[in-house]
Short mmCIF file of all heavy atoms in Angstrom, two decimals:
data_model
loop_
_atom_site.label_atom_id
_atom_site.label_comp_id
_atom_site.label_asym_id
_atom_site.label_seq_id
_atom_site.Cartn_x
_atom_site.Cartn_y
_atom_site.Cartn_z
N GLY A 1 9.15 36.77 11.95
CA GLY A 1 8.34 37.32 10.90
C GLY A 1 8.81 36.94 9.48
O GLY A 1 10.03 37.02 9.27
N GLN A 2 7.85 36.52 8.64
CA GLN A 2 8.31 36.10 7.31
C GLN A 2 8.80 37.28 6.47
O GLN A 2 9.44 37.04 5.49
CB GLN A 2 7.10 35.46 6.62
CG GLN A 2 6.81 34.04 7.06
CD GLN A 2 5.89 33.30 6.24
OE1 GLN A 2 4.83 33.98 5.73
NE2 GLN A 2 6.00 32.01 5.93
N GLU A 3 8.52 38.51 6.95
CA GLU A 3 9.14 39.61 6.26
C GLU A 3 10.64 39.79 6.49
O GLU A 3 11.22 40.54 5.82
CB GLU A 3 8.30 40.89 6.65
CG GLU A 3 8.58 41.43 8.05
CD GLU A 3 7.68 40.74 9.07
OE1 GLU A 3 7.12 39.63 8.76
OE2 GLU A 3 7.71 41.17 10.26
N ASN A 4 11.02 39.06 7.54
CA ASN A 4 12.48 39.14 7.85
C ASN A 4 13.19 37.79 7.47
O ASN A 4 14.40 37.89 7.06
CB ASN A 4 12.58 39.36 9.33
CG ASN A 4 12.14 40.74 9.72
OD1 ASN A 4 12.50 41.73 9.13
ND2 ASN A 4 11.31 40.93 10.72
N VAL A 5 12.62 36.66 7.86
CA VAL A 5 13.31 35.48 7.56
C VAL A 5 12.36 34.33 7.02
O VAL A 5 11.20 34.25 7.59
CB VAL A 5 13.95 34.81 8.88
CG1 VAL A 5 14.51 33.45 8.58
CG2 VAL A 5 14.94 35.81 9.44
N VAL A 6 12.73 33.75 5.96
CA VAL A 6 11.91 32.70 5.41
C VAL A 6 12.73 31.29 5.41
O VAL A 6 13.91 31.40 4.83
CB VAL A 6 11.38 32.96 3.97
CG1 VAL A 6 10.71 31.73 3.35
CG2 VAL A 6 10.56 34.14 3.97
N ILE A 7 12.30 30.34 6.03
CA ILE A 7 12.93 29.05 5.98
C ILE A 7 12.40 28.25 4.80
O ILE A 7 11.22 27.90 4.77
CB ILE A 7 12.70 28.23 7.34
CG1 ILE A 7 13.17 29.05 8.56
CG2 ILE A 7 13.39 26.90 7.16
CD1 ILE A 7 14.67 29.38 8.55
N ASP A 8 13.26 28.10 3.68
CA ASP A 8 12.70 27.28 2.55
C ASP A 8 13.09 25.83 2.84
O ASP A 8 14.30 25.42 2.66
CB ASP A 8 13.45 27.85 1.34
CG ASP A 8 12.95 29.23 0.99
OD1 ASP A 8 11.71 29.38 1.15
OD2 ASP A 8 13.84 30.08 0.60
N VAL A 9 12.09 25.07 3.02
CA VAL A 9 12.33 23.58 3.31
C VAL A 9 12.30 22.87 1.92
O VAL A 9 11.39 22.90 1.19
CB VAL A 9 11.20 22.94 4.20
CG1 VAL A 9 11.38 21.51 4.46
CG2 VAL A 9 11.21 23.75 5.55
N HIS A 10 13.38 22.23 1.68
CA HIS A 10 13.54 21.53 0.29
C HIS A 10 13.44 20.01 0.62
O HIS A 10 14.40 19.37 1.14
CB HIS A 10 14.98 21.85 -0.30
CG HIS A 10 14.99 23.30 -0.76
ND1 HIS A 10 14.58 23.79 -1.98
CD2 HIS A 10 15.43 24.38 -0.10
CE1 HIS A 10 14.75 25.04 -2.04
NE2 HIS A 10 15.32 25.48 -0.92
N GLN A 11 12.29 19.48 0.20
CA GLN A 11 12.15 17.99 0.31
C GLN A 11 12.76 17.33 -0.89
O GLN A 11 12.40 17.61 -2.03
CB GLN A 11 10.77 17.64 0.48
CG GLN A 11 10.07 18.13 1.70
CD GLN A 11 8.63 17.55 1.95
OE1 GLN A 11 8.41 16.42 1.66
NE2 GLN A 11 7.77 18.41 2.57
N MET A 12 13.72 16.43 -0.65
CA MET A 12 14.49 15.69 -1.71
C MET A 12 14.40 14.24 -1.60
O MET A 12 14.03 13.70 -0.65
CB MET A 12 15.94 16.10 -1.55
CG MET A 12 16.29 17.64 -1.56
SD MET A 12 18.14 17.85 -1.24
CE MET A 12 18.16 19.64 -1.04
N SER A 13 14.73 13.56 -2.65
CA SER A 13 14.97 12.17 -2.67
C SER A 13 16.08 11.81 -1.68
O SER A 13 16.86 12.73 -1.45
CB SER A 13 15.22 11.61 -4.05
OG SER A 13 16.50 12.04 -4.42
N SER A 14 16.11 10.62 -1.28
CA SER A 14 17.16 10.23 -0.32
C SER A 14 18.52 10.35 -1.00
O SER A 14 19.48 10.88 -0.27
CB SER A 14 16.95 8.67 0.03
OG SER A 14 15.75 8.56 0.74
N ASP A 15 18.74 10.08 -2.21
CA ASP A 15 20.00 10.13 -2.86
C ASP A 15 20.42 11.56 -2.98
O ASP A 15 21.54 11.99 -2.71
CB ASP A 15 20.02 9.55 -4.16
CG ASP A 15 19.93 8.04 -4.12
OD1 ASP A 15 20.34 7.43 -3.17
OD2 ASP A 15 19.66 7.30 -5.16
N ASP A 16 19.49 12.49 -3.40
CA ASP A 16 19.88 14.01 -3.53
C ASP A 16 20.11 14.56 -2.07
O ASP A 16 21.07 15.33 -2.08
CB ASP A 16 18.66 14.64 -4.15
CG ASP A 16 18.57 14.51 -5.68
OD1 ASP A 16 19.55 14.00 -6.22
OD2 ASP A 16 17.46 14.88 -6.24
N PHE A 17 19.39 14.12 -1.19
CA PHE A 17 19.68 14.56 0.11
C PHE A 17 21.01 14.15 0.65
O PHE A 17 21.92 14.97 1.05
CB PHE A 17 18.63 14.11 1.16
CG PHE A 17 19.01 14.47 2.60
CD1 PHE A 17 18.73 15.81 3.02
CD2 PHE A 17 19.49 13.54 3.37
CE1 PHE A 17 19.01 16.07 4.33
CE2 PHE A 17 19.88 13.88 4.75
CZ PHE A 17 19.60 15.21 5.23
N ASP A 18 21.35 12.90 0.57
CA ASP A 18 22.65 12.33 0.86
C ASP A 18 23.79 13.06 0.25
O ASP A 18 24.77 13.43 0.82
CB ASP A 18 22.76 10.89 0.58
CG ASP A 18 21.97 10.02 1.58
OD1 ASP A 18 21.51 10.54 2.60
OD2 ASP A 18 21.71 8.89 1.37
N ASN A 19 23.62 13.24 -1.07
CA ASN A 19 24.78 13.81 -1.94
C ASN A 19 24.90 15.36 -1.60
O ASN A 19 25.99 15.83 -1.82
CB ASN A 19 24.55 13.58 -3.37
CG ASN A 19 24.61 12.17 -3.77
OD1 ASN A 19 25.27 11.35 -3.13
ND2 ASN A 19 23.91 11.76 -4.73
N SER A 20 23.89 15.96 -1.09
CA SER A 20 23.98 17.34 -0.78
C SER A 20 24.51 17.56 0.70
O SER A 20 24.94 18.70 0.99
CB SER A 20 22.62 18.05 -0.85
OG SER A 20 22.08 17.91 -2.19
N THR A 21 24.49 16.65 1.46
CA THR A 21 24.77 16.75 2.90
C THR A 21 25.72 15.78 3.43
O THR A 21 26.95 15.97 3.27
CB THR A 21 23.44 16.67 3.71
OG1 THR A 21 22.87 15.36 3.52
CG2 THR A 21 22.43 17.74 3.29
N TYR A 22 25.41 14.67 3.78
CA TYR A 22 26.26 13.59 4.56
C TYR A 22 27.36 13.06 3.66
O TYR A 22 28.43 12.99 4.12
CB TYR A 22 25.41 12.53 5.07
CG TYR A 22 25.98 11.50 5.97
CD1 TYR A 22 26.57 11.87 7.14
CD2 TYR A 22 26.13 10.19 5.68
CE1 TYR A 22 27.14 11.05 8.01
CE2 TYR A 22 26.75 9.31 6.38
CZ TYR A 22 27.19 9.66 7.61
OH TYR A 22 27.73 8.77 8.52
N PHE A 23 27.07 12.74 2.49
CA PHE A 23 28.13 12.22 1.59
C PHE A 23 28.76 13.22 0.76
O PHE A 23 29.61 12.82 -0.08
CB PHE A 23 27.45 11.04 0.75
CG PHE A 23 27.20 9.81 1.56
CD1 PHE A 23 25.87 9.21 1.54
CD2 PHE A 23 28.21 9.28 2.35
CE1 PHE A 23 25.66 8.07 2.33
CE2 PHE A 23 27.87 8.14 3.11
CZ PHE A 23 26.72 7.56 3.13
N ALA A 24 28.44 14.49 0.76
CA ALA A 24 29.22 15.47 0.16
C ALA A 24 30.62 15.57 0.63
O ALA A 24 30.76 15.69 1.82
CB ALA A 24 28.50 16.93 0.25
N GLU A 25 31.64 15.36 -0.23
CA GLU A 25 32.92 15.05 0.19
C GLU A 25 33.77 16.47 0.49
O GLU A 25 34.72 16.24 1.17
CB GLU A 25 33.67 14.22 -0.84
CG GLU A 25 33.09 12.86 -0.92
CD GLU A 25 33.94 12.05 -1.98
OE1 GLU A 25 34.74 12.59 -2.64
OE2 GLU A 25 33.58 10.85 -2.11
N THR A 26 33.26 17.56 0.02
CA THR A 26 34.02 18.68 0.34
C THR A 26 33.11 19.78 0.76
O THR A 26 31.95 19.70 0.58
CB THR A 26 34.73 19.20 -0.97
OG1 THR A 26 33.75 19.60 -1.92
CG2 THR A 26 35.62 18.14 -1.64
N ALA A 27 33.59 20.72 1.38
CA ALA A 27 32.98 21.90 1.85
C ALA A 27 32.11 22.58 0.69
O ALA A 27 30.92 22.98 0.88
CB ALA A 27 33.81 22.94 2.57
N ALA A 28 32.82 22.63 -0.45
CA ALA A 28 32.20 23.38 -1.60
C ALA A 28 30.89 22.58 -2.12
O ALA A 28 30.02 23.11 -2.86
CB ALA A 28 33.13 23.46 -2.73
N GLN A 29 30.76 21.25 -1.79
CA GLN A 29 29.71 20.54 -2.25
C GLN A 29 28.44 20.45 -1.34
O GLN A 29 27.45 19.93 -1.64
CB GLN A 29 30.20 19.00 -2.44
CG GLN A 29 31.08 18.88 -3.58
CD GLN A 29 31.75 17.45 -3.64
OE1 GLN A 29 31.57 16.69 -2.73
NE2 GLN A 29 32.48 17.15 -4.77
N LYS A 30 28.64 21.14 -0.09
CA LYS A 30 27.57 21.03 0.86
C LYS A 30 26.60 22.08 0.43
O LYS A 30 26.70 23.35 0.31
CB LYS A 30 28.09 21.53 2.26
CG LYS A 30 29.19 20.62 2.82
CD LYS A 30 28.63 19.21 3.29
CE LYS A 30 29.68 18.39 3.91
NZ LYS A 30 29.09 17.12 4.37
N ASP A 31 25.35 21.63 0.01
CA ASP A 31 24.36 22.41 -0.74
C ASP A 31 23.19 22.79 0.18
O ASP A 31 22.08 22.18 0.15
CB ASP A 31 23.83 21.55 -1.92
CG ASP A 31 23.19 22.49 -2.88
OD1 ASP A 31 23.00 23.65 -2.68
OD2 ASP A 31 22.58 21.97 -3.97
N TYR A 32 23.46 23.64 1.10
CA TYR A 32 22.41 24.04 2.13
C TYR A 32 22.85 25.32 2.80
O TYR A 32 24.09 25.67 2.76
CB TYR A 32 22.04 23.00 3.12
CG TYR A 32 23.30 22.46 3.89
CD1 TYR A 32 23.85 23.15 4.86
CD2 TYR A 32 23.83 21.24 3.52
CE1 TYR A 32 24.96 22.66 5.61
CE2 TYR A 32 25.02 20.73 4.11
CZ TYR A 32 25.60 21.41 5.19
OH TYR A 32 26.60 21.03 5.82
N ASP A 33 21.92 25.96 3.43
CA ASP A 33 22.28 27.08 4.35
C ASP A 33 22.35 26.66 5.75
O ASP A 33 23.11 27.14 6.64
CB ASP A 33 21.28 28.26 4.21
CG ASP A 33 21.33 29.08 2.90
OD1 ASP A 33 22.46 29.31 2.42
OD2 ASP A 33 20.30 29.20 2.25
N LEU A 34 21.48 25.70 6.13
CA LEU A 34 21.40 25.20 7.48
C LEU A 34 20.93 23.66 7.28
O LEU A 34 20.10 23.34 6.66
CB LEU A 34 20.33 25.98 8.21
CG LEU A 34 20.16 25.98 9.71
CD1 LEU A 34 21.51 26.57 10.34
CD2 LEU A 34 18.96 26.75 10.22
N ASN A 35 21.63 22.90 8.08
CA ASN A 35 21.47 21.42 8.05
C ASN A 35 21.66 20.75 9.28
O ASN A 35 22.55 21.12 10.14
CB ASN A 35 22.27 20.81 7.00
CG ASN A 35 22.04 19.23 6.72
OD1 ASN A 35 20.89 18.84 6.63
ND2 ASN A 35 23.04 18.51 6.99
N MET A 36 20.90 19.69 9.63
CA MET A 36 21.14 18.97 10.87
C MET A 36 22.30 17.95 10.71
O MET A 36 22.33 17.16 9.78
CB MET A 36 19.81 18.25 11.18
CG MET A 36 19.91 17.49 12.56
SD MET A 36 19.86 18.56 13.97
CE MET A 36 18.14 19.00 13.96
N SER A 37 23.17 18.03 11.69
CA SER A 37 24.35 17.13 11.77
C SER A 37 24.34 16.44 13.16
O SER A 37 23.60 16.89 14.05
CB SER A 37 25.61 17.70 11.54
OG SER A 37 25.73 18.30 10.20
N GLY A 38 25.15 15.51 13.31
CA GLY A 38 25.28 14.85 14.61
C GLY A 38 26.68 14.41 14.86
O GLY A 38 27.46 14.23 14.01
N TRP A 39 26.97 14.32 16.19
CA TRP A 39 28.28 13.92 16.58
C TRP A 39 28.23 13.10 17.90
O TRP A 39 27.49 13.43 18.79
CB TRP A 39 29.22 15.09 16.77
CG TRP A 39 30.66 14.68 16.89
CD1 TRP A 39 31.37 14.67 17.91
CD2 TRP A 39 31.48 14.40 15.74
NE1 TRP A 39 32.77 14.20 17.58
CE2 TRP A 39 32.75 14.06 16.25
CE3 TRP A 39 31.27 14.28 14.34
CZ2 TRP A 39 33.79 13.71 15.42
CZ3 TRP A 39 32.28 13.98 13.53
CH2 TRP A 39 33.55 13.69 14.04
N SER A 40 29.03 12.02 18.01
CA SER A 40 29.06 11.22 19.27
C SER A 40 30.56 11.10 19.64
O SER A 40 31.50 11.30 18.83
CB SER A 40 28.41 9.94 19.14
OG SER A 40 28.91 9.12 18.06
N ALA A 41 30.84 10.86 20.87
CA ALA A 41 32.19 10.85 21.42
C ALA A 41 33.11 9.76 20.94
O ALA A 41 32.71 8.61 20.93
CB ALA A 41 32.09 10.95 22.95
N ASP A 42 34.36 10.14 20.63
CA ASP A 42 35.41 9.08 20.31
C ASP A 42 36.16 8.68 21.57
O ASP A 42 36.52 7.46 21.63
CB ASP A 42 36.35 9.63 19.25
CG ASP A 42 35.71 9.86 17.91
OD1 ASP A 42 34.75 9.22 17.61
OD2 ASP A 42 36.29 10.69 17.13
N TYR A 43 36.28 9.62 22.39
CA TYR A 43 37.11 9.32 23.69
C TYR A 43 36.69 10.25 24.83
O TYR A 43 35.88 11.24 24.55
CB TYR A 43 38.52 9.41 23.37
CG TYR A 43 38.97 10.73 22.76
CD1 TYR A 43 39.39 11.80 23.39
CD2 TYR A 43 39.14 10.72 21.34
CE1 TYR A 43 39.80 12.88 22.83
CE2 TYR A 43 39.51 11.85 20.69
CZ TYR A 43 39.85 12.98 21.32
OH TYR A 43 40.20 14.15 20.69
N GLN A 44 37.19 10.02 26.07
CA GLN A 44 36.57 10.69 27.14
C GLN A 44 37.24 11.93 27.49
O GLN A 44 38.05 12.08 28.40
CB GLN A 44 36.61 9.67 28.33
CG GLN A 44 35.74 10.05 29.55
CD GLN A 44 34.25 9.87 29.21
OE1 GLN A 44 33.90 8.83 28.77
NE2 GLN A 44 33.47 10.94 29.57
#
């Protein structure tokens, strides 16, 4: 219910998105509440 939770989707330019997420170098620079990330295996 929107009276309980609202997902605010922020459509950004590629550069703004990158700088807010993937290329943000520190935790303090991560500019979101929820973001998609990915991980693949380095070793077995």
Side-chain angles (χ1 to χ4, degrees):
Q2 286 189 321
E3 71 278 10
N4 292 313
V5 177
V6 175
I7 305 296
D8 291 320
V9 178
H10 293 273
Q11 296 191 36
M12 306 177 186
S13 69
S14 296
D15 287 342
D16 282 345
F17 173 77
D18 285 347
N19 292 333
S20 300
T21 57
Y22 189 60
F23 288 124
E25 295 182 353
T26 66
Q29 294 171 347
K30 300 290 184 180
D31 194 1
Y32 54 80
D33 292 314
L34 198 62
N35 180 54
M36 185 70 77
S37 296
W39 196 257
S40 55
D42 292 337
Y43 49 91
Q44 198 69 46

